[in-house]
Amino acid sequence: MSEEAQPGIQESEKDAAVVSIGSRAASSAVPASAPARAKVKLPSKLTELQGRFNALNFQQRLIVAAALFLFISAIVFVTLSGRTKDDYRVLFSSVNERDGAAIVAALQQMNVPYKFTEGGAAILVPESSVYETRLRLAGQGLPKAGNVGFELLENQKMGTSQFVEQVNYQRGLEGELARSISSLAQVKSARVMLAIPKQTAFMREQEKPTASVIVTMHPGRFLDSQQVAAITNLVGSSVPNLGPANVTIVDAEGSLLAPNAQRLAGLDNTQLKYVAELEGALSKRVQAILEPVTGKENVRAQVTVDMDFGELERTEETFGRNSPPNQSSIRSQQSNEAATPSSTTSGVPGALTNQPPGAAQAPINAPGGAAGNTGPQNLNAPPTSSSSSANSIKKDTTVNYELDRAIQRIKSEKGQIKRVSAGVVVNYKQPTGVDKDGKPLKPTPYSAKELDQINNLARDALGFNERRGDSVSVANIPFKIEPNDEPPFYKQPGVIELSKEFFKFAIILGSLGIMFFGVVKPLLFPKKVDTAAEEQRIEEEFDEKIKAEMAQMDPKAREKRRMEVELLKERQRIAEEEERLQAEEERKRMEEERQRHEEEKKQEYDELLKYAQDFVEENPKVVASIFKEWLADDAEKTNTANAAAAAAAPAA
């Protein structure tokens, strides 16, 4: 029974083999079938590495695994530590308290980390999320900048009263004006308040609107008169019937900022700036001319300029001197002549006359060329009288002469220098070299002649004017060297932190390098040793050792030792030859076994292939039915996949 059953079993096994061969053939013939999975072979280097690792004992494997784990952990730590420290960038700066609170609340809701700068002037977020966070906050209407503009009119509801519309319009106009003023570089924030009266039909009762502006400047900045005038015109031209005269500008300290407010108060930023620039230019000029003489950083100069920005206007009228008679010009001349009857003078003989003297007369030309009175004069010539016995004749002559006249209008220039004062401090001479004892030379003062030369140079550089009352003072005083409070480079906080990070990573990488090159590499990548050279070296060392021993022996012992050594070498040679022959025989045996195994497999495959061919020739219908089943299964799978794809297409 066993002999009969055995052929059946063999036939069933052959049938299964035929089916498997047919399945492989069908799989290669039918495109829809999956390819057979081939065995993955490692590269030769990895195979060699795996063999070396397998050759290690348990302790060595543990050491290698621990070293590799530490190496990979260190790399991951260094990478992640460099990435987790995200740099922070400015999200918003110079925001008011209300907007800052709203922004912080929004960042907390979005789970975005943030921090503030020193003083809380800016809000910082990680660099990777600056723009995304800024866009998300803008979608929420942040920051509001403390002002609302015409966006109030976008949400007007039906049925809103005219009063509410007017109020919203006024609020929007105020917000837009505040935003426009805040856009200036000097202005930190602004607020505009408008007082717009209600329009009336009576012209006499019409009132013009007014505006008040409060500006807050950045620290250290101010608005000059031109910028104040620009803000005034901006507000005045943005509101109907509002002129620049009805705009009031006040700063955060409560000072009035009007185009003429500073000038009325006696201060002008432009004038102060001009004086400061002039003083700085003169100081630099003095230092520039003295530094080649004294050395750099050995001279200090401060200049004070007293300037007159007032405008003086006066008119002078001068008259020239009287001309000689031959060069004088007569404007007019009048002569009067009258005759009166003579009268006998009475009185006491020998006494003075009882008639008053006549009026004193001054000549046109004074003796010695002295000038007369200024202006046209009426000069009466001395009367000439001739007495006769019967009548007395009186003649009066009036002559008006032309005089030279000049009218001069003088207007002084604005910004004249009234006085210049300068103070110059010169350090002691700083000689170079050493004295006899090898010590550095001490600083020495300048001589009086050298100080006079320095004084003259400073005066020439300033444009010294003695009539103007300028003064220049030069002092030779040793400079006091203040200790440098700034710590050295290696003690600065930033450098210390950077050094700590550097040493941390250096220690980690150094330890890993030692572990890798000292443990892992010797175990996994040992040095290739030349066997022949190593054997020759060992043999040479053995011969040298034997020679040293034999040199200390007597002839008989030396001969006996030599024979022992030769015998030992012969035995070693024989052992090596036997070992080589055994290895050669083992290699041949393994090669023969491999060839025999391959021949058996090839023979088995040929038998199966012949049986499959015979089976196909004897049972073609069975083979056709098998292929039909396979094709039907493949078609069913293909149709199922197409139906699933068609059902998923509309949904997508």
Side-chain angles (χ1 to χ4, degrees), residues 55 82 234 236 253 287 302 328 338-339 398 404 628:
L234 172 66
E253 298 178 357
Q287 292 183 2
Q302 290 292 331
S328 61
T398 302
D404 296 336
K628 288 180 181 180

Side-chain angles (χ1 to χ4, degrees), residues 224-234 244 249 258-259:
D224 55 11
S225 58
Q226 296 180 355
Q227 292 172 337
V228 173
I231 295 175
T232 303
N233 293 328
L234 172 66
I249 303 176

Side-chain angles (χ1 to χ4, degrees), residues 99-109 114 116 123:
D99 290 344
I103 291 172
V104 169
L107 293 177
Q108 291 177 355
Q109 292 179 359
Y114 65 91
F116 302 95
I123 302 175

Side-chain angles (χ1 to χ4, degrees), residues 27-47:
S27 63
S28 61
V30 182
S33 62
R37 185 174 61 183
K39 186 177 179 180
V40 180
K41 294 184 178 180
L42 295 176
S44 59
K45 198 67 177 177
L46 295 178
T47 306

